[in-house]
Amino acid sequence: MTVIYEINTLVWLRELSARYGHPVALGDVPGEVWDEVARPGVDTVWLMGVWERSPAGLSTALRDDRLLASFRDALPDLTPADIAGSPYCVRNYVVDASLGGPEGLAAARGELAARGVRLMLDYVPNHVAPDHPWLTERPDCLVRGTPDDLARAPEAYLEAGGQVYARGRDPYFPPWPDVVQLNAFSQDLREAAVDTLTAIGDQADGVRCDMAMLLMNDVFAMTWGNLAGAAPAEDFWPHVIPRVRERHPGLLFVAEAYWDLEQALQQQGFDHAYDKRLYDRLVHEDAGSVRAHLGADLGYQRGLVRFLENHDEPRAAATLPGERERAAAVAVATLPGATLWHEGQFEGRRVRPPVFLSRRPQEPADESLRDFYGRLLTAVAPVREGDWRLLTCTGWPDNESHRNLLAWSWTAGQDRHLVVINYSDRPAQGRVPLPWTDLHGQSYRLTELLAGDTFERDGDELLDAGLFVALDAWHCHLLSVRRAEPVSA
């Protein structure tokens, strides 16, 4: 199971430079830091924001009062030097020289590979910076307008190199002021996308595709209508991904996805797509809502990315205070599919810095939370193997608190694990019948992998009535289930 650790590369390197007292680029990161990054179970590191940022995009950002206000909200002592521009306003898919350039990235990839960890990088398929080379070298890759369009709607169009181009957008929000829209229906763009992704595959083991659903034929047609021309018979991703995999058959494709289009993107070639629906349920809804979500087809679930935060979402410590975050973390860590952790999440950071910034505020680490995540990652590393099954909890006529319990199992031969979570703010009791039919007539040892407690239960009871659980609010069991060895005389 894929476990991704996202790092804001620019902020991370700036903090490492302060930690070591000299500039640290990707090729200079000490081995002890890579050891810290390669946590138990983590098999993929996403270095977010390594490509050349756009000076033109930065200039636009510096004139945007709304953006500047958001920068000051996150970083009250903001200085001009802290504003680097957006990593999603890409001037060129070349590693920024300030981060160490291509050579530094190659060194970082080697350090990760030596620790059995893959490297994942970004790709932004929907738009480029206004000073990207394609505006002059491959203008047919872009959605173009007319001088009349520019005069009528200057917020939606821009002029560059004597041409009028549409600003990038999605169908539900105003245009983004700092980027130019690519044309998903253009054969020229599709060829350029294959070339770009192939080049990324030369430098990394995986690619996270920003807002991937915007390139789908029906979404793109809804957004751009006649401006984009006629829709090709083949969708964008089924055209692009197989051609990239001719060169890089093992390249991991991860889609940022919304609007319940995760399954469609999986079907179009992505290994994984964001599970934003689960995130919303964990943050805003209850156990019943989460359970309903987990009833989906298992093949589909294995292609999802479970997360509690990333650079686009608020920090988990701010949205899931106290024990609720820990309960949600156990859930995402033990479900089928990929898991995404975000640098700073384990320490309980509460401020999500805008991606334009190269610095974030200092925040004291929550040592208790850091200890919890350390134990969790170590405990779950061997758990998600084999077959996963959602389990049904039972209760009693005068006690329906079992409805607040979530439960599932993992089975890999004789390696058996059980997860039970009270996803509510009050105590819950219930029974969880276990799925293993060979439990009869044996005694079983249950070991709590987070707390270290061990207790024995009769196999007949576990299989028939079920394991009795009584959990305080937001508490959980993460159990290994093994046959108890008979005591020798």
Side-chain angles (χ1 to χ4, degrees):
M1 296 290 183
T2 299
V3 180
I4 303 166
Y5 186 57
E6 179 189 2
I7 294 174
N8 183 327
T9 310
L10 194 60
V11 170
W12 180 63
L13 290 177
R14 183 163 173 175
E15 291 181 352
L16 287 178
S17 298
R19 172 175 162 182
Y20 286 96
H22 60 80
V24 175
L26 285 171
D28 311 316
V29 175
E32 64 189 15
V33 175
W34 291 121
D35 291 340
E36 295 168 7
V37 167
R39 297 168 180 267
V42 170
D43 63 10
T44 306
V45 166
W46 169 17
L47 291 178
M48 190 277 289
V50 303
W51 307 123
E52 284 186 11
R53 304 185 188 211
S54 163
L58 174 59
S59 178
T60 299
L62 292 173
R63 298 193 302 270
D64 189 320
D65 290 338
R66 179 187 57 83
L67 270 180
L68 292 172
S70 73
F71 300 164
R72 286 188 289 269
D73 286 343
L75 191 62
D77 60 342
L78 179 76
T79 70
D82 298 322
I83 307 173
S86 171
Y88 295 98
C89 179
V90 177
R91 185 189 178 278
N92 214 348
Y93 283 94
V94 176
V95 181
D96 199 289
S98 68
L99 304 179
E103 298 80 8
L105 182 71
R109 186 186 186 188
E111 292 284 357
L112 291 171
R115 292 161 173 81
V117 176
R118 298 177 293 187
L119 172 64
M120 187 167 77
L121 302 175
D122 291 292
Y123 173 60
V124 187
N126 186 64
H127 50 261
V128 292
D131 49 357
H132 190 284
W134 288 351
L135 274 74
T136 54
E137 297 173 6
R138 305 181 78 162
D140 288 342
C141 289
L142 298 124
V143 174
R144 289 195 260 186
T146 66
D148 288 343
D149 291 325
L150 180 61
R152 173 183 53 82
E155 77 286 353
Y157 295 86
L158 58 82
E159 187 275 332
Q163 296 281 345
V164 174
Y165 297 101
R167 298 181 193 269
R169 59 168 302 208
D170 78 16
Y172 299 113
F173 291 95
W176 296 299
D178 59 341
V179 291
V180 183
Q181 180 65 49
L182 294 169
N183 187 349
F185 293 168
S186 160
Q187 182 61 32
D188 201 33
L189 174 67
R190 293 178 175 210
E191 293 172 1
V194 171
D195 292 343
T196 301
L197 283 163
T198 300
I200 293 173
D202 291 338
Q203 303 170 76
D205 311 293
V207 59
R208 178 263 190 189
C209 296
D210 185 72
M211 299 287 280
M213 72 286 177
L214 294 182
L215 283 295
M216 298 170 71
N217 275 6
D218 51 353
V219 175
F220 201 79
M222 176 178 66
T223 309
W224 292 103
N226 293 332
L227 276 176
E234 188 174 35
D235 235 295
F236 181 85
W237 295 114
H239 179 92
V240 169
I241 291 176
R243 288 165 172 79
V244 176
R245 283 195 165 136
E246 289 176 4
R247 173 72 176 270
H248 299 294
L251 188 65
L252 181 74
F253 275 86
V254 176
E256 181 189 18
Y258 303 99
W259 315 330
D260 296 323
L261 291 172
E262 302 90 335
Q263 189 166 32
L265 287 164
Q266 291 175 16
Q267 293 168 345
Q268 290 191 5
F270 281 92
D271 297 292
H272 297 289
Y274 276 29
D275 191 357
K276 179 63 161 59
R277 184 66 66 185
L278 178 65
Y279 169 83
D280 289 338
R281 292 178 189 238
L282 288 169
V283 173
H284 303 294
E285 300 177 23
D286 62 10
S289 173
V290 174
R291 187 182 304 107
H293 185 77
L294 300 179
D297 175 75
L298 184 55
Y300 162 66
Q301 293 200 62
R302 290 185 182 277
L304 294 172
V305 180
R306 325 289 196 164
F307 59 89
L308 298 182
E309 63 170 73
N310 55 58
H311 69 265
D312 289 312
E313 303 291 351
R315 288 288 194 178
T319 56
L320 291 163
E323 296 291 339
R324 182 166 184 163
E325 177 182 352
R326 301 182 187 213
V330 172
V332 301
T334 59
L335 287 171
T339 308
L340 169 62
W341 303 115
H342 187 204
E343 190 273 329
Q345 179 177 351
F346 301 152
E347 293 74 38
R349 284 186 171 270
R350 302 177 66 86
V351 176
R352 179 182 65 88
V355 293
F356 293 76
L357 301 184
S358 64
R359 182 168 66 93
R360 61 187 174 187
Q362 292 187 352
E363 298 182 71
D366 182 332
E367 295 298 341
S368 173
L369 190 64
R370 175 151 52 192
D371 173 71
F372 162 77
Y373 273 112
R375 288 184 287 111
L376 177 63
L377 266 68
T378 300
V380 301
V383 168
R384 296 193 310 162
E385 300 290 341
D387 297 322
W388 177 86
R389 181 181 298 185
L390 183 65
L391 303 179
T392 300
C393 302
T394 63
W396 304 270
D398 60 344
N399 181 356
E400 293 197 343
S401 64
H402 71 281
R403 298 183 186 277
N404 294 324
L405 296 174
L406 301 169
W408 46 83
S409 64
W410 284 95
T411 309
Q414 292 303 307
D415 291 331
R416 300 168 177 183
H417 293 92
L418 174 68
V419 180
V420 188
I421 302 169
N422 176 8
Y423 208 72
S424 76
D425 60 0
R426 63 200 65 187
Q429 302 84 36
R431 284 192 176 272
V432 186
L434 303 192
W436 303 298
T437 56
D438 60 351
L439 298 181
H440 280 302
Q442 302 287 336
S443 180
Y444 280 81
R445 178 173 292 113
L446 282 63
T447 302
E448 171 55 68
L449 299 180
L450 290 176
D453 301 328
T454 299
F455 46 96
E456 292 194 12
R457 293 291 183 269
D458 178 73
D460 291 344
E461 178 188 0
L462 295 177
L463 188 61
D464 298 332
L467 174 68
F468 173 76
V469 295
L471 290 167
D472 290 336
W474 309 115
H475 281 216
C476 71
H477 286 312
L478 177 54
L479 301 167
S480 70
V481 181
R482 294 183 178 275
R483 182 177 299 171
E485 296 298 328
V487 178
S488 57

